[in-house]
Amino acid sequence: MQSFRTEIENPIVEKDIIELANKIELFHNGKIDEEKFRSLRLARGVYGQRQEGVQMIRIKIPYGKLMSNQLRRISEVSDEYSRGRLHITTRQDIQIHYVDLDRTPELWSELEKDDVTLREACGNVVRNVTASETAGIDVNEPFDVSPYADALYKFFLRNPICQEMGRKFKVSFSSTDEDTGLSYLHDIGYIAKTENGVRGFKVLVAGGLGSQPRHAEVLYDFVETDKIIPIMEGVLRVFDRYGERKSRAKARMKFLLKDIGLEAFKELIAQEQKAIEFKSVVIDADAYVASKPVEVEVPEVTIKDQKAFELWKSTNLIPQKQEGYVAIGVKVLLGDFYTDKARLLADLVDNYAAGEVRLTLRQNIVIPFVKSELVPLFYTELEKLGFVEAGYNKAVDITACPGTDTCNLGIASSTGIAEELERVITAEYPQYLKNEDLVIKISGCMNACGQHNMANIGFQGMTVRTPDKLVAPALQVLLGGGNLGDGNGAFADKVVKVPSKRGPEALRRILNDFEANANGKQFVEYYKEKGEKYFYDFLNDLQDVTNLTQEDFIDWGEEEKYVKEIGIGECAGVVIDLIATLFLESEEKIENAKISFDDKVYSSAIYYAYTSLVNSAKALLLAENKKTNTHAGIISQFDELFVSSGKIDLGVTFSDLIYQINKFAPTQDFASKYIENANEFLQKVRTYRETQTNVLDKKAV
């Protein structure tokens, strides 16, 4: 094992980083199955890239709040281990690319010096907790959701109940009924509310995008703030046990709820209540350390272009509830900027604001706590960085995922077409610099990282095939999606599929018709009134692939002829493990259970033991060539194949043994007994496996 060392003071974090280094070495030496190693590194923010031999690193920025020292630290790491480019994601993370796998533990160690983590930024875990970028400053908010988002993020980080779920799990917080956190498309979404002066949240569950978008359902109209963590723990326990694990396409929570219904889902949550240690988790919002603006003299500055300054002020300033202050929206083209600008931005907010920036769901930056008198100064300084493009969060501000630039799943360019569409709007439709209604989003594939199917106008990367079998890059045009507020939203309809090079013409026709016929209506209402066929009719001719030119076979931003290349997706790939690896994992889980027990964290100890029991049962089922799916399915299958048949004697059914987890409170006595059960079960199934293997070996001889 390599002797990797860190300078991290937190022993839990240090153990995490050393474990990653050790697992990388075991992987290189052929001691860990490739699929299992993928699962481990993804949960540590290390994601395979389209380009062979390098990794994308996703850096977790909870609710998008980034302090200036953290921005500098990320810049240093990007310069040292990557290429100096930072990419803001639609989940308020930062990604860097082209990183050597062997250097990732060292990279992570450097980030942690300023409390920046990679843990659970990717993989089948609770992903980055997102929130409204104006949390704490929004003029309409009933209270600041930041302390609650922060507490929830910390509670579930490294929590054993959500480390190896069937798929990823996404959480959002919205500051107001405008639902700028987009709760309706999350696995669980919280919208800030007050009732009779008491703080709380509306809770929505099981929303999602992807190829089959689903609107979240209301779990509770109002719960007080001390209930949000226990509620999410119940939801996660149910998802972990009953969620699909075999079919990647059906493994999100939205499919579980669709299959069993909301009432059955609530009943399963109720069954977990005895296992949940904390029925109430009080979050001390007053103890949350909010950023404080600096006191500074207002320097005199000269504005060179007053007209440009006034336009920028009209589109990029955000009112702030703190008197005398505004926030500044910085439009970041496609979410990409470089470390030289990042460092200067960190200096600027340190010297003249509150030492923080917010990363937004539309891949932009917000600078809060700018004194109104300092706006001219910020404009002149941001202008030096190329950060004063007008149209923050307006129609010209298009969201796009990386697409075929770096993503394995990218089918067609999303960044190239996004740049071209922004150019078209700026040059031909300048009125949309100030239009907040029109939301345009682009994804390079059906997985909707660019959130195309919730946009007013969305584009999804695809391909078209000509009659003589030639393949060209294409765009599915989707229309009519939008955020309607208070947890309500509309998903866009797929209207036509056009060659990518015709994307700008499709946009022109849509905008021209909107201008002529909307009559003051917002786009969602205008689309609903006209209907899908109306748009199909005036876009249909753009689908014709019998008359393509050579240019149509070259994707946006490329020079070579298009070749469709799709790799294996990594966000939540199915893991089929080797039997020996599963048994070793069961041992590790029991060791983790004992550590948690010694630390008196009995609920965690019990859950580690539970995952060991499931893991051991899964190993034996796979050894018998049985398909394994949900945890609940594994448990019933094991009883049927091994216990009811008398092959293995447990003294009780496996169901009775393992489901003690939701029959008993997480006490010290029960934790001790349950860990012992898990250990005994592992020994029994191992012995059975060895006996069967020996019998087979003798028969072979």
Side-chain angles (χ1 to χ4, degrees):
M1 214 61 75
Q2 64 180 333
S3 57
F4 179 80
R5 291 290 180 267
T6 76
E7 299 176 18
I8 303 302
E9 294 180 4
N10 186 326
I12 297 172
V13 175
E14 183 177 44
K15 180 174 178 282
D16 242 358
I17 296 171
I18 291 172
E19 180 189 19
L20 176 60
N22 291 340
K23 297 289 187 185
I24 289 172
E25 184 177 5
L26 289 171
F27 171 68
H28 284 324
N29 293 333
K31 301 288 180 65
I32 297 180
D33 174 63
E34 182 176 357
E35 291 297 319
K36 186 60 206 171
F37 177 65
R38 176 190 295 174
S39 176
L40 181 137
R41 64 173 167 76
L42 282 172
R44 285 142 186 86
V46 183
Y47 191 102
Q49 200 170 300
R50 192 178 187 92
Q51 292 76 14
E52 191 174 350
V54 290
Q55 313 294 315
M56 178 271 282
I57 304 299
R58 184 174 292 150
I59 301 168
K60 200 168 188 176
I61 314 295
Y63 49 99
K65 182 177 178 178
L66 191 61
M67 303 307 296
S68 56
N69 62 303
Q70 294 175 318
L71 183 54
R72 291 189 190 93
R73 175 65 63 184
I74 292 169
S75 298
E76 288 176 14
V77 163
S78 181
D79 285 342
E80 172 64 26
Y81 300 93
S82 179
R83 297 186 174 184
R85 189 186 77 169
L86 310 178
H87 176 72
I88 304 169
T89 76
T90 55
R91 294 204 60 75
Q92 299 175 304
D93 295 306
I94 285 181
Q95 292 176 176
I96 59 177
H97 295 82
Y98 300 96
V99 176
D100 184 336
L101 174 64
D102 292 340
R103 301 190 74 193
T104 54
E106 182 185 337
L107 177 156
W108 187 2
S109 179
E110 288 299 309
L111 286 173
E112 288 283 359
K113 290 177 182 179
D114 279 292
D115 198 26
V116 177
T117 191
L118 305 182
R119 181 74 197 220
E120 295 155 54
C122 305
N124 299 332
V125 295
V126 174
R127 296 290 185 85
N128 194 33
V129 175
T130 62
S132 303
E133 60 260 26
T134 53
I137 63 172
D138 198 309
V139 294
N140 296 318
E141 68 183 16
F143 57 88
D144 183 5
V145 300
S146 303
Y148 305 97
D150 188 65
L152 186 138
Y153 146 70
K154 288 174 179 173
F155 187 90
F156 290 105
L157 187 71
R158 297 185 177 86
N159 194 311
I161 70 169
C162 51
Q163 295 305 300
E164 296 176 348
M165 297 183 292
R167 283 292 301 268
K168 56 194 172 185
F169 190 96
K170 296 181 177 180
V171 187
S172 76
F173 282 81
S174 287
S175 293
T176 69
D177 285 355
E178 290 177 290
D179 195 16
T180 50
L182 307 176
S183 65
Y184 68 95
L185 53 82
H186 280 77
D187 293 293
I188 192 163
Y190 297 99
I191 303 175
K193 303 277 186 180
T194 55
E195 284 193 3
N196 301 318
V198 176
R199 292 181 177 185
F201 292 92
K202 182 176 184 177
V203 185
L204 292 96
V205 292
L209 292 177
S211 60
Q212 299 180 57
R214 185 178 191 274
H215 198 294
E217 296 188 42
V218 178
L219 187 62
Y220 300 105
D221 285 308
F222 182 83
V223 296
E224 294 184 19
T225 57
D226 65 308
K227 300 299 183 188
I228 63 170
I229 286 175
I231 284 170
M232 182 159 151
E233 179 169 349
V235 170
L236 285 170
R237 284 173 176 269
V238 170
F239 179 51
D240 193 36
R241 188 163 302 135
Y242 297 96
E244 172 81 25
R245 288 174 182 271
K246 183 175 180 294
S247 173
R248 176 176 177 268
K250 295 182 179 179
R252 291 295 298 275
M253 198 174 76
K254 61 185 179 182
F255 295 106
L256 173 61
L257 204 73
K258 180 183 178 183
D259 288 344
I260 68 173
L262 185 62
E263 292 310 310
F265 186 75
K266 285 183 175 180
E267 178 58 32
L268 291 174
I269 292 175
Q271 292 173 17
E272 296 296 320
Q273 292 310 300
K274 281 187 180 177
I276 296 175
E277 182 176 5
F278 304 106
K279 305 299 188 287
S280 168
V281 179
V282 177
I283 298 167
D284 186 356
D286 293 334
Y288 175 78
V289 180
S291 303
K292 300 293 183 186
V294 297
E295 291 296 328
V296 64
E297 292 292 324
V298 180
E300 289 188 17
V301 295
T302 302
I303 303 295
K304 297 175 184 175
D305 187 338
Q306 193 66 34
K307 186 178 179 181
F309 176 54
E310 294 300 327
L311 174 62
W312 174 83
K313 282 201 301 181
S314 71
T315 65
N316 292 52
L317 293 190
I318 304 163
Q320 191 165 316
K321 70 181 184 181
Q322 290 81 5
E323 189 176 352
Y325 292 92
V326 296
I328 293 176
V330 177
K331 184 175 176 295
V332 182
L333 180 62
L334 304 177
D336 292 330
F337 66 116
Y338 286 84
T339 53
D340 56 344
K341 292 184 179 181
R343 288 187 178 90
L344 292 170
L345 182 62
D347 292 342
L348 182 61
V349 298
D350 260 351
N351 295 331
Y352 294 103
E356 71 163 285
V357 296
R358 310 274 182 89
L359 309 181
T360 84
L361 298 173
R362 287 180 70 167
Q363 301 173 292
N364 291 316
I365 294 171
V366 167
I367 305 170
F369 292 104
V370 176
K371 268 190 171 181
S372 299
E373 311 92 275
L374 287 171
V375 168
L377 170 75
F378 269 84
Y379 179 80
T380 57
E381 294 302 312
L382 290 171
E383 188 177 26
K384 296 173 186 175
L385 305 182
F387 271 169
V388 291
E389 187 172 339
Y392 168 81
N393 272 9
K394 306 300 187 291
V396 73
D397 193 355
I398 295 175
T399 301
C401 69
T404 50
D405 289 359
T406 54
C407 179
N408 273 326
L409 294 176
I411 296 173
S413 171
S414 45
T415 57
I417 182 63
E419 288 191 57
E420 178 62 17
L421 295 185
E422 286 203 5
R423 187 198 65 76
V424 167
I425 294 173
T426 302
E428 302 175 29
Y429 302 88
Q431 65 272 34
Y432 286 100
L433 280 171
K434 296 186 178 183
N435 184 290
E436 292 186 40
D437 168 50
L438 211 60
V439 177
I440 303 173
K441 293 176 180 281
I442 304 171
S443 298
C445 75
M446 67 181 181
N447 285 295
C449 294
Q451 302 174 336
H452 64 277
N453 41 19
M454 57 77 61
N456 300 154
I457 303 172
F459 296 91
Q460 175 194 325
M462 304 190 81
T463 58
V464 289
R465 190 180 295 271
T466 67
D468 50 356
K469 309 301 183 187
L470 297 175
V471 177
L475 295 167
Q476 179 83 61
V477 181
L478 299 94
L479 299 173
N483 177 10
L484 306 178
D486 198 26
N488 299 301
F491 293 116
D493 291 328
K494 297 175 182 177
V495 179
V496 292
K497 182 168 70 170
V498 305
S500 288
K501 286 298 175 74
R502 297 177 187 169
E505 176 58 23
L507 180 65
R508 287 186 184 98
R509 293 188 187 185
I510 294 163
L511 293 182
N512 288 343
D513 194 84
F514 183 52
E515 287 282 294
N517 299 311
N519 298 318
K521 298 182 182 72
Q522 291 197 328
F523 194 92
V524 174
E525 186 183 357
Y526 148 76
Y527 174 80
K528 187 176 180 181
E529 182 183 275
K530 294 292 185 183
E532 181 182 340
K533 188 177 185 306
Y534 174 84
F535 294 91
Y536 175 86
D537 287 343
F538 76 70
L539 294 171
N540 183 33
D541 65 296
L542 296 179
Q543 296 191 102
D544 184 4
V545 294
T546 62
N547 56 356
L548 298 187
T549 67
Q550 288 300 312
E551 187 179 329
D552 288 315
F553 293 94
I554 301 173
D555 208 351
W556 291 102
E558 301 294 333
E559 296 179 358
E560 302 294 325
K561 185 177 178 181
Y562 175 79
V563 178
K564 183 179 179 180
E565 296 177 331
I566 307 174
I568 298 172
E570 296 212 312
C571 273
V574 177
V575 179
I576 305 299
D577 303 300
L578 299 173
I579 309 307
T581 302
L582 281 168
F583 283 146
L584 287 172
E585 277 188 354
S586 291
E587 279 185 359
E588 288 181 357
K589 293 176 193 301
I590 289 169
E591 287 305 309
N592 287 333
K594 290 176 179 177
I595 291 169
S596 292
F597 183 87
D598 291 342
D599 291 338
K600 296 183 171 53
V601 186
Y602 302 124
S603 59
S604 290
I606 291 164
Y607 213 87
Y608 278 126
Y610 163 79
T611 54
S612 174
L613 285 160
V614 172
N615 214 57
S616 300
K618 178 182 177 182
L620 219 52
L621 287 166
L622 288 177
E624 297 286 331
N625 295 317
K626 299 296 180 183
K627 294 179 180 179
T628 60
N629 193 351
T630 66
H631 279 189
I634 289 169
I635 293 164
S636 61
Q637 269 188 291
F638 190 89
D639 264 335
E640 182 182 343
L641 189 64
F642 295 105
V643 180
S644 298
S645 64
K647 292 178 181 177
I648 295 178
D649 182 12
L650 300 177
V652 294
T653 66
F654 185 48
S655 296
D656 286 341
L657 177 71
I658 197 169
Y659 282 135
Q660 292 178 89
I661 189 173
N662 58 20
K663 303 295 188 297
F664 295 94
T667 63
Q668 179 179 356
D669 288 345
F670 174 58
S672 177
K673 177 188 172 188
Y674 202 59
I675 294 169
E676 186 179 338
N677 291 158
N679 195 38
E680 289 173 354
F681 181 74
L682 173 59
Q683 302 317 313
K684 283 194 176 186
V685 296
R686 255 189 168 158
T687 300
Y688 178 86
R689 168 67 175 162
E690 288 167 5
T691 302
Q692 294 301 108
T693 304
N694 290 336
V695 169
L696 290 172
D697 287 346
K698 286 177 182 178
K699 284 182 178 179
V701 172

